[in-house]
Amino acid sequence: MNRQPSMGDVAQAVGVSKTTISRYLHGEFGYMSPDTKSRIEAVIKKLGYRPNRMAQGLKATVSHMIGVSVADIGNPFTSLLLKGIQLECRSRDIQLLVSDANNQPAVERANIESLVDAQVDGLIVNTTGRNDEWLGRVSQSTESAMVMLDRIVQPIICDCVATDNHGASFAMLDHLVEQGFDYVIFVSCPSEGISTRIMRREAVEQYFLDRAVDGEVLVYRQGEADLAERLGTIIAEHNDRRVCLFANNDETMQDVLEALNSEQRRALGLCAFANERWAKYSGDGITCLDQSPVEMGRIAAKKLIARAYDGFQGEYTLEEIPAQLRVYASTTRH
Amino acid sequence: MNRQPSMGDVAQAVGVSKTTISRYLHGEFGYMSPDTKSRIEAVIKKLGYRPNRMAQGLKATVSHMIGVSVADIGNPFTSLLLKGIQLECRSRDIQLLVSDANNQPAVERANIESLVDAQVDGLIVNTTGRNDEWLGRVSQSTESAMVMLDRIVQPIICDCVATDNHGASFAMLDHLVEQGFDYVIFVSCPSEGISTRIMRREAVEQYFLDRAVDGEVLVYRQGEADLAERLGTIIAEHNDRRVCLFANNDETMQDVLEALNSEQRRALGLCAFANERWAKYSGDGITCLDQSPVEMGRIAAKKLIARAYDGFQGEYTLEEIPAQLRVYASTTRH
DNA sequence: CTGTTAGCGCATTCAC
DNA sequence: GTGAATGCGCTAACAG
């Protein structure tokens, strides 16, 4: 059993005590003989010694790890959130312990407990939904700070970072009105406690009430094949109007495209909360609300780091990041 | 400072020794009095005690964490690799320490060192490229096992999982020939030591030599705006032929679409290594080679777990996963 | 059925 | 300038 060299091994090889090695590692060579210093240096290189972070953490009660729990790591949007988190954490030499809940609340709970067990210094949570009270308890009981990302719970129980879903939805609807659409069908999967879906839907419904745009909300389940039929019915009912479909996200937009025949695709307006990089080339270009997941991830990480490592103690805040309206042919060619 | 309860706290509260608690936690109540057992159970619940994994790891020299280093976590393909890894690891209660190299070899090296310092039990590496010898040294020196994922180094220095790039490229070219294309332009960014790019390019060039299909390889740099011009020139030179563009990946396909005007898009054949979910809806549907990133991630994780936790010692293998040819209008409507 | 002891690798007093 | 001693939270002999 040829284990990694430990601090004791180095100490023995140099002929000093572990304390001296420890001091060397922490740059405290103010009072160290240059000779010892260089000898230590040589031995460390020779043995390829590297301090054991678990042992360090056990003493220091900081692990230099933060836990990230995401609802679905396979989602491209989520991966960009991670990108942002990672960018911020690398500069602080913080490791990421990442868990995927696979969209299951029970898995999310198990994952977060497991992250806490691993002694993470803080938690970034992109929740599956349907765990609000449980998350509330966690954020209270745990020493470590917590930040909710993209999907939040209200009232606020910790720092939150999300898209300005209300503002973005209104911006899109304003655009559709301007383009002369007079019937908007907002298409979404069931909310299932997911804040983004809830807030977008609420915004759209409020817009329908407040202003002179008619429309409705169409809720469907993924995998059930009735979307085409239901869309067809609604479209037929409004064939005297200029109809636009507004999808809650990229995935739903794809489901909508799948459900429409090519004639319908061309005849109707189409738009969505979606990644521009994708929407731009889809069909002849689909108008979209492009969010800033990388930036959101960065901000979330910054907030967490401030509390977990820099002793920040201020009030919890909700930061709403604007989305960018990107207009393409799908809402302008009619 | 109101820290989490430790095993000692529990032991004290129950009035037994830490050993007994430890035994309880490991399910060794074969010889434990039912009374003690139930008292321990109660106290643990009351105190909300959870074992500290760092301390466990320090003793056991297993951390129940594996390190994952990816070239670019923001890439949707990469996120699906992670999905697969995660699926496999959750069932074994293994945590993932994820690092993003942001496509920089130097960052990759730093990340992997950091992962090793954190005492991961194994390493899954999706390399940035240009780190081959360094990775070779790591996989030798480190106790922990290593698996290369999607991007590999040859000759094999550890278990590897990758797409069957050669077979997939040939399948696509066969399809193009069948469709009557007689000039194929393979478009790719510079290889930069990345095995997927190298192997796909080699396969295409070999196909050009072996069979009766003419074509060329076009290497461009992202961000440089000359792609449109260079493509234009080549296309003009071959306007008497049926030309198809074959992009190395999704990103390159997008760059190609950006570089072409709508007339060119319609006139030329288009295809790529790309996610079907995306390609299908792009333009009128782009023919693609759909890989199986989730499955690849699973296999990589399985291989790693076998070595890191189950004592498997067999020879290193390279597992090549087939890609699926998905045909859409972009190669059939001409 | 249960406790004592020792030690994992490191950081931190306090001595010298 | 340096070292010995102690303990972080837990596991694993070895005793009873």
Side-chain angles (χ1 to χ4, degrees):
Chain A
M1 185 66 182
N2 216 345
R3 66 194 215 308
Q4 304 271 74
S6 79
M7 199 161 105
D9 300 328
V10 178
Q12 204 166 358
V14 182
V16 296
S17 77
K18 292 191 287 178
T19 317
T20 305
I21 309 297
S22 178
R23 281 204 266 263
Y24 172 88
L25 291 174
H26 291 265
E28 299 165 22
F29 11 69
Y31 298 90
M32 192 181 307
S33 79
D35 177 52
T36 332
K37 182 178 163 187
S38 64
R39 273 163 53 224
I40 294 178
E41 194 169 349
V43 171
I44 286 185
K45 190 176 295 177
K46 173 153 162 279
L47 265 50
Y49 167 74
R50 311 225 85 214
N52 179 329
R53 277 246 253 279
M54 305 215 88
Q56 287 185 158
L58 187 54
K59 254 334 250 194
T61 63
V62 309
S63 58
H64 299 286
M65 297 190 302
I66 71 175
V68 183
S69 172
V70 298
D72 178 13
I73 200 172
N75 186 315
F77 182 80
T78 303
S79 73
L80 293 171
L81 294 175
L82 288 175
K83 186 83 180 184
I85 295 171
Q86 181 81 49
L87 283 171
E88 209 56 42
C89 287
R90 187 173 49 245
S91 64
R92 292 285 299 249
D93 205 23
I94 296 164
Q95 297 272 12
L96 259 42
L97 212 43
V98 178
S99 284
D100 173 33
N102 216 15
N103 291 320
Q104 297 162 277
V107 174
E108 174 169 288
R109 293 195 296 274
N111 281 346
I112 291 178
E113 290 194 327
S114 192
L115 292 172
V116 172
D117 290 352
Q119 308 300 114
V120 295
D121 298 327
L123 231 31
I124 295 181
V125 179
N126 169 248
T127 180
T128 57
R130 301 216 183 287
N131 266 339
D132 291 9
E133 344 77 65
W134 189 86
L135 288 169
R137 263 176 281 135
V138 170
S139 84
Q140 301 236 304
S141 66
T142 310
E143 300 306 303
S144 46
M146 176 166 134
V147 175
M148 306 214 62
L149 181 52
D150 182 48
R151 300 165 164 201
I152 64 177
V153 332
Q154 276 174 320
I156 283 177
I157 53 171
C158 61
D159 280 329
C160 296
V161 180
T163 298
D164 175 11
N165 289 298
H166 187 94
S169 303
F170 270 52
M172 179 63 90
L173 292 164
D174 282 343
H175 164 74
L176 297 182
V177 169
E178 202 182 297
Q179 292 294 320
F181 289 101
D182 52 15
Y183 198 81
V184 176
I185 307 171
F186 182 73
V187 187
S188 170
C189 291
S191 295
E192 295 184 329
I194 297 167
S195 65
T196 48
R197 295 183 188 167
I198 296 171
M199 296 174 76
R200 290 169 192 176
R201 180 182 173 156
E202 282 177 0
V204 170
E205 287 177 331
Q206 189 187 325
Y207 197 98
F208 289 164
L209 288 178
D210 290 0
R211 329 238 174 152
V213 191
D214 210 1
E216 70 186 277
V217 172
L218 171 56
V219 176
Y220 77 106
R221 292 182 178 280
Q222 267 192 310
E224 294 183 9
D226 64 346
L227 181 60
E229 192 186 322
R230 295 175 59 196
L231 272 175
T233 310
I234 298 174
I235 293 163
E237 281 169 8
H238 299 278
N239 65 358
D240 54 332
R241 296 188 136 181
R242 297 205 43 214
V243 176
C244 185
L245 302 182
F246 182 5
N248 178 71
N249 60 21
D250 313 55
E251 259 188 309
T252 291
M253 186 75 250
Q254 291 173 338
D255 291 335
V256 166
L257 290 174
E258 185 70 37
L260 299 177
N261 58 42
S262 58
E263 190 194 341
Q264 289 172 316
R265 276 188 224 174
R266 246 171 285 273
L268 298 165
L270 295 174
C271 64
F273 276 88
N275 185 336
E276 182 182 17
R277 183 92 184 159
W278 174 81
K280 184 176 184 178
Y281 302 111
S282 199
D284 303 322
I286 292 181
T287 295
C288 63
L289 288 161
D290 191 56
Q291 304 175 72
S292 308
V294 176
E295 189 57 21
M296 287 166 66
R298 290 188 87 125
I299 294 173
K302 271 187 194 158
K303 282 179 183 271
L304 186 65
I305 290 172
R307 288 192 194 268
Y309 298 105
D310 301 338
F312 177 68
Q313 298 261 357
E315 298 223 319
Y316 294 138
T317 59
L318 161 59
E319 194 143 336
E320 294 197 284
I321 313 299
Q324 309 299 322
L325 175 65
R326 303 297 187 195
V327 177
Y328 291 103
S330 70
T331 56
T332 57
R333 65 167 165 235
H334 301 85
Chain B
M1 186 66 181
N2 217 347
R3 67 195 214 310
Q4 304 271 74
S6 78
M7 199 161 105
D9 300 328
V10 177
Q12 203 165 359
V14 182
V16 296
S17 78
K18 291 190 290 176
T19 314
T20 306
I21 310 296
S22 178
R23 282 204 266 263
Y24 173 88
L25 292 173
H26 293 268
E28 299 167 21
F29 14 69
Y31 298 90
M32 193 180 306
S33 80
D35 177 53
T36 335
K37 183 180 164 187
S38 65
R39 275 162 52 225
I40 294 177
E41 195 171 347
V43 171
I44 285 185
K45 190 176 295 177
K46 175 154 160 276
L47 264 49
Y49 166 74
R50 311 225 85 213
N52 179 329
R53 276 246 251 283
M54 306 216 86
Q56 288 186 156
L58 187 55
K59 212 36 213 180
T61 62
V62 307
S63 59
H64 298 285
M65 296 190 303
I66 71 175
V68 182
S69 173
V70 297
D72 178 12
I73 200 172
N75 187 315
F77 181 79
T78 303
S79 72
L80 293 172
L81 295 175
L82 289 174
K83 185 84 181 183
I85 296 172
Q86 180 81 49
L87 283 171
E88 210 54 44
C89 287
R90 185 173 50 244
S91 64
R92 293 286 299 248
D93 205 24
I94 295 164
Q95 297 273 12
L96 259 42
L97 212 42
V98 178
S99 284
D100 172 34
N102 216 15
N103 291 320
Q104 296 162 280
V107 173
E108 174 168 289
R109 292 194 297 274
N111 282 346
I112 290 178
E113 289 195 327
S114 193
L115 291 173
V116 172
D117 290 352
Q119 308 300 114
V120 294
D121 299 327
L123 230 31
I124 294 180
V125 179
N126 168 249
T127 180
T128 57
R130 301 216 181 289
N131 265 340
D132 291 8
E133 343 77 63
W134 190 86
L135 287 169
R137 263 177 279 134
V138 170
S139 84
Q140 301 238 302
S141 67
T142 309
E143 300 306 302
S144 47
M146 177 166 136
V147 175
M148 306 215 63
L149 181 51
D150 181 50
R151 299 165 165 202
I152 64 177
V153 330
Q154 275 174 322
I156 284 177
I157 53 172
C158 61
D159 280 330
C160 296
V161 179
T163 297
D164 174 12
N165 289 297
H166 187 94
S169 303
F170 269 52
M172 179 63 90
L173 291 164
D174 282 343
H175 164 72
L176 296 183
V177 169
E178 201 181 299
Q179 292 294 321
F181 288 101
D182 53 13
Y183 199 80
V184 175
I185 306 170
F186 182 73
V187 187
S188 169
C189 291
S191 295
E192 294 184 330
I194 297 167
S195 66
T196 48
R197 295 183 188 167
I198 295 171
M199 295 174 75
R200 291 170 192 176
R201 179 181 175 159
E202 282 177 0
V204 170
E205 287 177 332
Q206 189 187 323
Y207 197 97
F208 288 164
L209 288 178
D210 289 359
R211 328 236 175 155
V213 191
D214 210 2
E216 70 185 279
V217 172
L218 171 56
V219 175
Y220 77 106
R221 291 181 179 282
Q222 266 192 310
E224 294 184 8
D226 63 346
L227 181 59
E229 193 186 322
R230 295 175 59 196
L231 273 175
T233 308
I234 298 174
I235 294 165
E237 283 170 6
H238 298 278
N239 65 357
D240 54 333
R241 296 188 139 182
R242 298 203 45 214
V243 175
C244 184
L245 301 182
F246 182 5
N248 178 70
N249 59 22
D250 314 54
E251 259 188 307
T252 291
M253 186 76 250
Q254 290 173 339
D255 291 334
V256 166
L257 289 174
E258 185 70 38
L260 299 177
N261 58 42
S262 58
E263 192 194 341
Q264 290 172 317
R265 276 186 225 175
R266 245 171 285 272
L268 298 165
L270 296 174
C271 64
F273 276 89
N275 185 335
E276 183 182 16
R277 183 91 184 160
W278 173 80
K280 185 177 183 176
Y281 302 111
S282 199
D284 302 322
I286 292 181
T287 294
C288 62
L289 288 160
D290 192 56
Q291 304 175 72
S292 307
V294 175
E295 191 56 21
M296 288 166 67
R298 291 188 86 124
I299 295 174
K302 270 186 194 158
K303 283 179 181 271
L304 187 65
I305 289 171
R307 288 191 194 268
Y309 299 105
D310 302 338
F312 177 69
Q313 299 260 356
E315 297 224 320
Y316 295 137
T317 60
L318 161 59
E319 193 144 336
E320 294 198 286
I321 314 298
Q324 309 300 323
L325 176 64
R326 303 297 186 196
V327 177
Y328 291 103
S330 70
T331 57
T332 57
R333 67 169 163 232
H334 301 86

mmCIF file of all heavy atoms in Angstrom, chain B residues 150-173:
data_model
loop_
_atom_site.group_PDB
_atom_site.id
_atom_site.type_symbol
_atom_site.label_atom_id
_atom_site.label_comp_id
_atom_site.label_asym_id
_atom_site.label_seq_id
_atom_site.Cartn_x
_atom_site.Cartn_y
_atom_site.Cartn_z
ATOM 1 N N ASP B 150 -15.081 10.941 -24.281
ATOM 2 C CA ASP B 150 -15.327 11.639 -25.541
ATOM 3 C C ASP B 150 -14.029 12.024 -26.256
ATOM 4 O O ASP B 150 -13.840 11.707 -27.409
ATOM 5 C CB ASP B 150 -16.181 12.884 -25.327
ATOM 6 C CG ASP B 150 -16.451 13.599 -26.641
ATOM 7 O OD1 ASP B 150 -16.867 12.919 -27.590
ATOM 8 O OD2 ASP B 150 -16.237 14.824 -26.724
ATOM 9 N N ARG B 151 -13.164 12.697 -25.540
ATOM 10 C CA ARG B 151 -11.877 13.067 -26.119
ATOM 11 C C ARG B 151 -10.820 12.205 -25.451
ATOM 12 O O ARG B 151 -10.695 12.214 -24.230
ATOM 13 C CB ARG B 151 -11.604 14.537 -25.848
ATOM 14 C CG ARG B 151 -12.652 15.430 -26.479
ATOM 15 C CD ARG B 151 -12.564 16.805 -25.894
ATOM 16 N NE ARG B 151 -13.304 17.767 -26.700
ATOM 17 C CZ ARG B 151 -13.081 19.068 -26.681
ATOM 18 N NH1 ARG B 151 -12.127 19.564 -25.909
ATOM 19 N NH2 ARG B 151 -13.792 19.886 -27.428
ATOM 20 N N ILE B 152 -10.064 11.516 -26.257
ATOM 21 C CA ILE B 152 -9.157 10.538 -25.676
ATOM 22 C C ILE B 152 -7.722 10.796 -26.127
ATOM 23 O O ILE B 152 -7.477 11.661 -26.960
ATOM 24 C CB ILE B 152 -9.576 9.118 -26.105
ATOM 25 C CG1 ILE B 152 -9.439 8.987 -27.625
ATOM 26 C CG2 ILE B 152 -10.999 8.849 -25.674
ATOM 27 C CD1 ILE B 152 -9.763 7.597 -28.117
ATOM 28 N N VAL B 153 -6.789 10.072 -25.557
ATOM 29 C CA VAL B 153 -5.422 10.161 -26.058
ATOM 30 C C VAL B 153 -4.992 8.751 -26.461
ATOM 31 O O VAL B 153 -5.345 7.771 -25.808
ATOM 32 C CB VAL B 153 -4.428 10.773 -25.039
ATOM 33 C CG1 VAL B 153 -5.111 11.763 -24.122
ATOM 34 C CG2 VAL B 153 -3.706 9.717 -24.255
ATOM 35 N N GLN B 154 -4.265 8.695 -27.545
ATOM 36 C CA GLN B 154 -3.799 7.400 -28.032
ATOM 37 C C GLN B 154 -2.288 7.405 -28.181
ATOM 38 O O GLN B 154 -1.727 8.421 -28.574
ATOM 39 C CB GLN B 154 -4.475 7.064 -29.358
ATOM 40 C CG GLN B 154 -5.824 6.410 -29.109
ATOM 41 C CD GLN B 154 -6.606 6.172 -30.371
ATOM 42 O OE1 GLN B 154 -6.573 6.994 -31.278
ATOM 43 N NE2 GLN B 154 -7.334 5.068 -30.426
ATOM 44 N N PRO B 155 -1.574 6.323 -27.899
ATOM 45 C CA PRO B 155 -2.143 5.059 -27.429
ATOM 46 C C PRO B 155 -2.789 5.210 -26.056
ATOM 47 O O PRO B 155 -2.449 6.108 -25.292
ATOM 48 C CB PRO B 155 -0.942 4.117 -27.380
ATOM 49 C CG PRO B 155 0.240 5.020 -27.242
ATOM 50 C CD PRO B 155 -0.112 6.271 -27.976
ATOM 51 N N ILE B 156 -3.671 4.289 -25.787
ATOM 52 C CA ILE B 156 -4.497 4.331 -24.591
ATOM 53 C C ILE B 156 -3.680 4.283 -23.297
ATOM 54 O O ILE B 156 -2.815 3.430 -23.144
ATOM 55 C CB ILE B 156 -5.481 3.145 -24.647
ATOM 56 C CG1 ILE B 156 -6.588 3.465 -25.646
ATOM 57 C CG2 ILE B 156 -6.049 2.842 -23.289
ATOM 58 C CD1 ILE B 156 -7.552 2.324 -25.822
ATOM 59 N N ILE B 157 -3.949 5.219 -22.395
ATOM 60 C CA ILE B 157 -3.233 5.246 -21.121
ATOM 61 C C ILE B 157 -4.153 4.911 -19.962
ATOM 62 O O ILE B 157 -3.731 4.857 -18.811
ATOM 63 C CB ILE B 157 -2.620 6.630 -20.872
ATOM 64 C CG1 ILE B 157 -3.708 7.702 -21.019
ATOM 65 C CG2 ILE B 157 -1.488 6.877 -21.853
ATOM 66 C CD1 ILE B 157 -3.254 9.081 -20.603
ATOM 67 N N CYS B 158 -5.423 4.733 -20.272
ATOM 68 C CA CYS B 158 -6.415 4.414 -19.235
ATOM 69 C C CYS B 158 -7.693 4.022 -19.963
ATOM 70 O O CYS B 158 -7.738 4.048 -21.184
ATOM 71 C CB CYS B 158 -6.657 5.629 -18.340
ATOM 72 S SG CYS B 158 -7.282 7.039 -19.241
ATOM 73 N N ASP B 159 -8.737 3.693 -19.230
ATOM 74 C CA ASP B 159 -10.003 3.391 -19.889
ATOM 75 C C ASP B 159 -10.498 4.615 -20.652
ATOM 76 O O ASP B 159 -10.357 5.743 -20.178
ATOM 77 C CB ASP B 159 -11.055 2.977 -18.845
ATOM 78 C CG ASP B 159 -10.894 1.535 -18.409
ATOM 79 O OD1 ASP B 159 -10.435 0.718 -19.217
ATOM 80 O OD2 ASP B 159 -11.232 1.223 -17.254
ATOM 81 N N CYS B 160 -11.067 4.374 -21.815
ATOM 82 C CA CYS B 160 -11.559 5.468 -22.647
ATOM 83 C C CYS B 160 -12.952 5.149 -23.182
ATOM 84 O O CYS B 160 -13.253 4.001 -23.491
ATOM 85 C CB CYS B 160 -10.633 5.676 -23.849
ATOM 86 S SG CYS B 160 -8.971 6.206 -23.429
ATOM 87 N N VAL B 161 -13.753 6.184 -23.290
ATOM 88 C CA VAL B 161 -15.081 6.050 -23.885
ATOM 89 C C VAL B 161 -15.239 7.173 -24.898
ATOM 90 O O VAL B 161 -15.055 8.346 -24.546
ATOM 91 C CB VAL B 161 -16.186 6.164 -22.821
ATOM 92 C CG1 VAL B 161 -17.555 6.038 -23.464
ATOM 93 C CG2 VAL B 161 -16.001 5.115 -21.730
ATOM 94 N N ALA B 162 -15.541 6.826 -26.126
ATOM 95 C CA ALA B 162 -15.665 7.850 -27.160
ATOM 96 C C ALA B 162 -16.677 7.423 -28.196
ATOM 97 O O ALA B 162 -17.064 6.251 -28.267
ATOM 98 C CB ALA B 162 -14.312 8.083 -27.822
ATOM 99 N N THR B 163 -17.105 8.381 -29.004
ATOM 100 C CA THR B 163 -17.957 8.050 -30.134
ATOM 101 C C THR B 163 -17.127 7.307 -31.185
ATOM 102 O O THR B 163 -15.924 7.535 -31.290
ATOM 103 C CB THR B 163 -18.505 9.350 -30.750
ATOM 104 O OG1 THR B 163 -19.315 10.001 -29.777
ATOM 105 C CG2 THR B 163 -19.339 9.073 -31.983
ATOM 106 N N ASP B 164 -17.780 6.434 -31.933
ATOM 107 C CA ASP B 164 -17.099 5.795 -33.057
ATOM 108 C C ASP B 164 -17.030 6.817 -34.194
ATOM 109 O O ASP B 164 -17.834 6.791 -35.120
ATOM 110 C CB ASP B 164 -17.867 4.547 -33.492
ATOM 111 C CG ASP B 164 -17.269 3.943 -34.751
ATOM 112 O OD1 ASP B 164 -16.150 4.356 -35.140
ATOM 113 O OD2 ASP B 164 -17.919 3.074 -35.348
ATOM 114 N N ASN B 165 -16.080 7.719 -34.101
ATOM 115 C CA ASN B 165 -16.026 8.842 -35.036
ATOM 116 C C ASN B 165 -15.746 8.399 -36.469
ATOM 117 O O ASN B 165 -16.280 8.960 -37.421
ATOM 118 C CB ASN B 165 -14.958 9.843 -34.580
ATOM 119 C CG ASN B 165 -15.394 10.582 -33.339
ATOM 120 O OD1 ASN B 165 -16.381 11.305 -33.365
ATOM 121 N ND2 ASN B 165 -14.680 10.392 -32.237
ATOM 122 N N HIS B 166 -14.933 7.390 -36.574
ATOM 123 C CA HIS B 166 -14.607 6.895 -37.907
ATOM 124 C C HIS B 166 -15.854 6.303 -38.574
ATOM 125 O O HIS B 166 -16.235 6.703 -39.667
ATOM 126 C CB HIS B 166 -13.498 5.842 -37.800
ATOM 127 C CG HIS B 166 -12.964 5.395 -39.116
ATOM 128 N ND1 HIS B 166 -11.847 5.960 -39.691
ATOM 129 C CD2 HIS B 166 -13.401 4.444 -39.983
ATOM 130 C CE1 HIS B 166 -11.619 5.379 -40.851
ATOM 131 N NE2 HIS B 166 -12.542 4.447 -41.053
ATOM 132 N N GLY B 167 -16.483 5.394 -37.873
ATOM 133 C CA GLY B 167 -17.671 4.748 -38.420
ATOM 134 C C GLY B 167 -18.766 5.747 -38.736
ATOM 135 O O GLY B 167 -19.420 5.673 -39.785
ATOM 136 N N ALA B 168 -18.960 6.693 -37.839
ATOM 137 C CA ALA B 168 -20.022 7.674 -38.027
ATOM 138 C C ALA B 168 -19.735 8.546 -39.247
ATOM 139 O O ALA B 168 -20.627 8.797 -40.066
ATOM 140 C CB ALA B 168 -20.152 8.541 -36.780
ATOM 141 N N SER B 169 -18.500 8.963 -39.385
ATOM 142 C CA SER B 169 -18.136 9.804 -40.530
ATOM 143 C C SER B 169 -18.380 9.056 -41.837
ATOM 144 O O SER B 169 -18.932 9.612 -42.795
ATOM 145 C CB SER B 169 -16.662 10.206 -40.441
ATOM 146 O OG SER B 169 -16.402 10.881 -39.225
ATOM 147 N N PHE B 170 -17.977 7.801 -41.846
ATOM 148 C CA PHE B 170 -18.186 7.002 -43.053
ATOM 149 C C PHE B 170 -19.669 6.837 -43.353
ATOM 150 O O PHE B 170 -20.095 6.922 -44.501
ATOM 151 C CB PHE B 170 -17.512 5.627 -42.894
ATOM 152 C CG PHE B 170 -16.099 5.609 -43.394
ATOM 153 C CD1 PHE B 170 -15.178 6.568 -42.960
ATOM 154 C CD2 PHE B 170 -15.672 4.659 -44.316
ATOM 155 C CE1 PHE B 170 -13.869 6.561 -43.427
ATOM 156 C CE2 PHE B 170 -14.366 4.655 -44.796
ATOM 157 C CZ PHE B 170 -13.461 5.603 -44.347
ATOM 158 N N ALA B 171 -20.457 6.614 -42.322
ATOM 159 C CA ALA B 171 -21.899 6.443 -42.530
ATOM 160 C C ALA B 171 -22.480 7.698 -43.165
ATOM 161 O O ALA B 171 -23.306 7.631 -44.096
ATOM 162 C CB ALA B 171 -22.591 6.143 -41.203
ATOM 163 N N MET B 172 -22.050 8.838 -42.674
ATOM 164 C CA MET B 172 -22.568 10.090 -43.230
ATOM 165 C C MET B 172 -22.140 10.244 -44.687
ATOM 166 O O MET B 172 -22.951 10.586 -45.554
ATOM 167 C CB MET B 172 -22.049 11.272 -42.403
ATOM 168 C CG MET B 172 -22.495 12.633 -42.909
ATOM 169 S SD MET B 172 -24.294 12.863 -42.834
ATOM 170 C CE MET B 172 -24.461 13.554 -41.188
ATOM 171 N N LEU B 173 -20.893 9.954 -44.967
ATOM 172 C CA LEU B 173 -20.403 10.129 -46.335
ATOM 173 C C LEU B 173 -21.089 9.146 -47.288
ATOM 174 O O LEU B 173 -21.438 9.504 -48.423
ATOM 175 C CB LEU B 173 -18.881 9.975 -46.354
ATOM 176 C CG LEU B 173 -18.156 11.136 -45.641
ATOM 177 C CD1 LEU B 173 -16.711 10.781 -45.326
ATOM 178 C CD2 LEU B 173 -18.224 12.419 -46.464
#
